[in-house]
Amino acid sequence: MKITFLRQAPLLLLPALFPLPLLAADNASQTMVVSAAPAASGLSELDTPAAVSVVSGDEMRHAAPRVNLSESLISVPGLQIQNRQNYAQDLQLSMRGFGSRSTFGVRGIRLYVDGIPATMPDGQGQTSNIDIGSIDHIDVLRGPFSALYGNASGGVINVETETGQQPAMLEASSWYGSYGSWRNSVKASGATGDGSHAGDVSYTVSASRFTTHGYRDHSAAQKNLGNARLGVRIDEASTLTLLFNSVHAEAQDPGGLTAAQWRDNPRQVVSNVTQYNARKTVDQTQGGLRYQRQMGEDDDLSVMMYAGERQTTQYQSIPVVAQQRPGQPGGVIDLARHYQGIDTRWTHRDTLFSVPVTLTGGLDYETMTEKRKGYQNFIGNDFGVQGDLRRNERNRMWNLDPYLQTAWQFGDRWSLDAGVRFSTVSFTSRDDYITARDPDDSGSRRYHRWLPAASLKYAIDDGWNAYVSAGRGFETPTLNELSYRSDNQNGLNLGLQPATSDTVELGSKKRIGNGLLSAAVFQTDTQNEIVTDGTVNGRSTYKNAGETRRRGLELGLDQQFGYDWHLKAAWTLLDARYRSNACGSDSCDGKRIPGIARNMAYAGLSWAPEQGWYAGTDVRYLSDIAANDQNTVRAPAYTVVGVNSGYKWLVRDWSLDLFGRVDNLFDRNYIGSVIVNESNGRYYEPAPGRNYSVGLTLSYAFR
């Protein structure tokens, strides 16, 4: 677990660090390494006055399939991440309850990969372009300071790819599992120097292919993924990093099941899913350039530029009769998105009245253009094909956010970090499909919010800190949430308002030997929470739910015993409820927000010597989850256990790692995730029973 930032401003630079890591000063005393175990400098993760978890890439790859983030991020407190067993809809991911409404993709959470947002300006994100095989570490930021990232910042997940080092390495990896699942991957990394001299070059290039028949009927998928990172030291003060990523994915969509269908046969799908061949295809390519320069002893400049395109085609299982209604946009969605952005930031360190101060100012601009078309999913009696055009529009969304952050160090024990961001998000839609029965649905909206955050930290002793923080965040409707209205009405859902959240958090962290124990309690009050109004045949509509409140407790333990034993544990208590009626005639006041577990627990124990035999086990518990606003339907609680074992050979410059694992060891029948407010009663997405897999990794070092 590792994260680097300036000692005088630990929390200040977290929002600046994740998307665009600062170029650290050469003076080692100015940097801090955040780690569960004490770093060489004597500093640790406890010096960060925020709820931060860092998961290393090596930990994520250890005896794991390396396919989904849900394999390893389940150990992070406050993070509910569930595998839908539906690669057409991505993982179901929420942080402190933000994002639980999502029926596909990731919402309410900001995602970054090597500084490039995997979350679009409208707040819609996805994880399909993340290559676990080349991850260096993942930073997970929860709490008030995530608001400094702007729109949709219920939390922040930042992925950093490995930087190539000497000696050059070549690695090949394979994994084979139940249900016809397999993954093959290759990675090459290296450097021409140590990165400190002009002309030094580092590189990491990886490619992988994943294929599965799927646990359920009609749930096959395949994904090809490529990732590259090239770093160049221009001179003693500046570096340039080039980034490239491309993904192609095809997946069938099995949809959900009713409670009776799940109990009868959890692998089945309803008839209209196969009748209309529900499926999705995604192609995405993006590139970025990151420039960092140390302007002087006390000043740093950082610039990040990126651009990309994403093409999505989705065939839904909407019946023919439903598409006969005027204004119905059809059962085929065709999206072409082009996005780009630039984030420029200046950091200055100084003293004011003998108090060390760090000041960071920046400007973030992101824009996305979308061409959205809708077609009927039939031609005559031929279903699951592209038919007549029913929708044609051009949408544009952009945000322009200036921000300012400061850090004050008042002696050895007290520090204050504060920041503010003014976020502007604009949405414009031009309707190019206008008929006598389908009038012009063009429209626009613009949202503005001031987003302040502050944290006060007190160092009780060298290994124990406490902090209190507060902040305000907001979340605008995504393009998809604006695209459909409830009750079969025509036009855009422009009545949706952005949600505004106020959070207060109290936390403490204590170093225990070679580990870290952390605790945080928080309360978040939200106005105009955006929730699911209903879901029919894979298409969801949304509404504002008035007031909600989240109260929670998070505990985490990351402990190393001796050289070879490692214990990781987490527990989350989250009470998320409506504080006003969001159900129309049925009162929801006081009901639990659907899609959120009240209790989550995880414990993992591993014995992992540097070479030879190793083994591990993990246990995960999730309490029952309400599937609708009225809380009349729930997915039962469950506990699942996994075990793994393997052997690692190290022979000169060669390394061979062979492992096997069993997941859901006791063959529990449980619900992996829910579809919130599914109007046909098909709330449940079943998880697989006991399943097996084996894998191997072969690498060679060119010394």
PDB file of all heavy atoms in Angstrom, residues 7 25-32 41 43:
ATOM      1  N   ARG A   7       4.661  16.485   2.475  1.00  0.00           N
ATOM      2  CA  ARG A   7       4.473  16.338   3.912  1.00  0.00           C
ATOM      3  C   ARG A   7       3.691  17.505   4.492  1.00  0.00           C
ATOM      4  O   ARG A   7       2.875  17.337   5.379  1.00  0.00           O
ATOM      5  CB  ARG A   7       5.840  16.231   4.591  1.00  0.00           C
ATOM      6  CG  ARG A   7       5.731  16.047   6.104  1.00  0.00           C
ATOM      7  CD  ARG A   7       7.073  15.848   6.725  1.00  0.00           C
ATOM      8  NE  ARG A   7       6.954  15.594   8.151  1.00  0.00           N
ATOM      9  CZ  ARG A   7       7.987  15.384   8.938  1.00  0.00           C
ATOM     10  NH1 ARG A   7       9.205  15.397   8.435  1.00  0.00           N
ATOM     11  NH2 ARG A   7       7.803  15.164  10.226  1.00  0.00           N
ATOM     12  N   ALA A  25       9.309  16.977  -4.848  1.00  0.00           N
ATOM     13  CA  ALA A  25      10.574  17.658  -4.711  1.00  0.00           C
ATOM     14  C   ALA A  25      11.673  16.641  -4.466  1.00  0.00           C
ATOM     15  O   ALA A  25      11.467  15.554  -3.963  1.00  0.00           O
ATOM     16  CB  ALA A  25      10.494  18.661  -3.563  1.00  0.00           C
ATOM     17  N   ASP A  26      12.908  17.021  -4.812  1.00  0.00           N
ATOM     18  CA  ASP A  26      14.023  16.107  -4.636  1.00  0.00           C
ATOM     19  C   ASP A  26      14.343  15.871  -3.169  1.00  0.00           C
ATOM     20  O   ASP A  26      14.887  14.839  -2.798  1.00  0.00           O
ATOM     21  CB  ASP A  26      15.268  16.659  -5.340  1.00  0.00           C
ATOM     22  CG  ASP A  26      15.100  16.651  -6.844  1.00  0.00           C
ATOM     23  OD1 ASP A  26      14.307  15.831  -7.336  1.00  0.00           O
ATOM     24  OD2 ASP A  26      15.755  17.460  -7.518  1.00  0.00           O
ATOM     25  N   ASN A  27      14.017  16.821  -2.325  1.00  0.00           N
ATOM     26  CA  ASN A  27      14.293  16.692  -0.905  1.00  0.00           C
ATOM     27  C   ASN A  27      13.380  15.641  -0.296  1.00  0.00           C
ATOM     28  O   ASN A  27      12.185  15.794  -0.246  1.00  0.00           O
ATOM     29  CB  ASN A  27      14.064  18.043  -0.218  1.00  0.00           C
ATOM     30  CG  ASN A  27      14.515  18.015   1.226  1.00  0.00           C
ATOM     31  OD1 ASN A  27      14.778  16.954   1.788  1.00  0.00           O
ATOM     32  ND2 ASN A  27      14.599  19.195   1.817  1.00  0.00           N
ATOM     33  N   ALA A  28      13.956  14.531   0.184  1.00  0.00           N
ATOM     34  CA  ALA A  28      13.147  13.422   0.694  1.00  0.00           C
ATOM     35  C   ALA A  28      12.322  13.816   1.895  1.00  0.00           C
ATOM     36  O   ALA A  28      11.279  13.236   2.159  1.00  0.00           O
ATOM     37  CB  ALA A  28      14.053  12.235   1.056  1.00  0.00           C
ATOM     38  N   SER A  29      12.777  14.816   2.640  1.00  0.00           N
ATOM     39  CA  SER A  29      12.034  15.217   3.823  1.00  0.00           C
ATOM     40  C   SER A  29      10.725  15.893   3.478  1.00  0.00           C
ATOM     41  O   SER A  29       9.874  16.070   4.338  1.00  0.00           O
ATOM     42  CB  SER A  29      12.890  16.169   4.676  1.00  0.00           C
ATOM     43  OG  SER A  29      13.124  17.380   3.981  1.00  0.00           O
ATOM     44  N   GLN A  30      10.538  16.267   2.218  1.00  0.00           N
ATOM     45  CA  GLN A  30       9.306  16.938   1.821  1.00  0.00           C
ATOM     46  C   GLN A  30       8.239  15.962   1.360  1.00  0.00           C
ATOM     47  O   GLN A  30       7.137  16.378   1.042  1.00  0.00           O
ATOM     48  CB  GLN A  30       9.599  17.940   0.696  1.00  0.00           C
ATOM     49  CG  GLN A  30      10.409  19.140   1.160  1.00  0.00           C
ATOM     50  CD  GLN A  30      10.600  20.118   0.042  1.00  0.00           C
ATOM     51  OE1 GLN A  30      10.891  19.755  -1.089  1.00  0.00           O
ATOM     52  NE2 GLN A  30      10.425  21.384   0.330  1.00  0.00           N
ATOM     53  N   THR A  31       8.578  14.678   1.273  1.00  0.00           N
ATOM     54  CA  THR A  31       7.603  13.715   0.786  1.00  0.00           C
ATOM     55  C   THR A  31       7.180  12.775   1.893  1.00  0.00           C
ATOM     56  O   THR A  31       7.892  12.554   2.870  1.00  0.00           O
ATOM     57  CB  THR A  31       8.178  12.899  -0.382  1.00  0.00           C
ATOM     58  OG1 THR A  31       9.302  12.158   0.090  1.00  0.00           O
ATOM     59  CG2 THR A  31       8.579  13.785  -1.523  1.00  0.00           C
ATOM     60  N   MET A  32       6.026  12.202   1.721  1.00  0.00           N
ATOM     61  CA  MET A  32       5.499  11.266   2.706  1.00  0.00           C
ATOM     62  C   MET A  32       4.960  10.051   1.988  1.00  0.00           C
ATOM     63  O   MET A  32       4.246  10.160   1.004  1.00  0.00           O
ATOM     64  CB  MET A  32       4.391  11.915   3.523  1.00  0.00           C
ATOM     65  CG  MET A  32       3.701  10.978   4.477  1.00  0.00           C
ATOM     66  SD  MET A  32       2.730  11.851   5.694  1.00  0.00           S
ATOM     67  CE  MET A  32       1.567  12.691   4.663  1.00  0.00           C
ATOM     68  N   SER A  41      10.675   6.603   6.184  1.00  0.00           N
ATOM     69  CA  SER A  41      10.702   7.948   6.715  1.00  0.00           C
ATOM     70  C   SER A  41      10.005   8.054   8.062  1.00  0.00           C
ATOM     71  O   SER A  41      10.016   9.103   8.690  1.00  0.00           O
ATOM     72  CB  SER A  41      10.034   8.918   5.732  1.00  0.00           C
ATOM     73  OG  SER A  41       8.671   8.566   5.567  1.00  0.00           O
ATOM     74  N   LEU A  43       6.798   7.820   8.465  1.00  0.00           N
ATOM     75  CA  LEU A  43       5.453   8.345   8.241  1.00  0.00           C
ATOM     76  C   LEU A  43       4.557   7.234   7.728  1.00  0.00           C
ATOM     77  O   LEU A  43       5.015   6.226   7.200  1.00  0.00           O
ATOM     78  CB  LEU A  43       5.510   9.497   7.234  1.00  0.00           C
ATOM     79  CG  LEU A  43       6.403  10.666   7.648  1.00  0.00           C
ATOM     80  CD1 LEU A  43       6.549  11.636   6.504  1.00  0.00           C
ATOM     81  CD2 LEU A  43       5.839  11.357   8.871  1.00  0.00           C
TER      82      LEU A  43
END
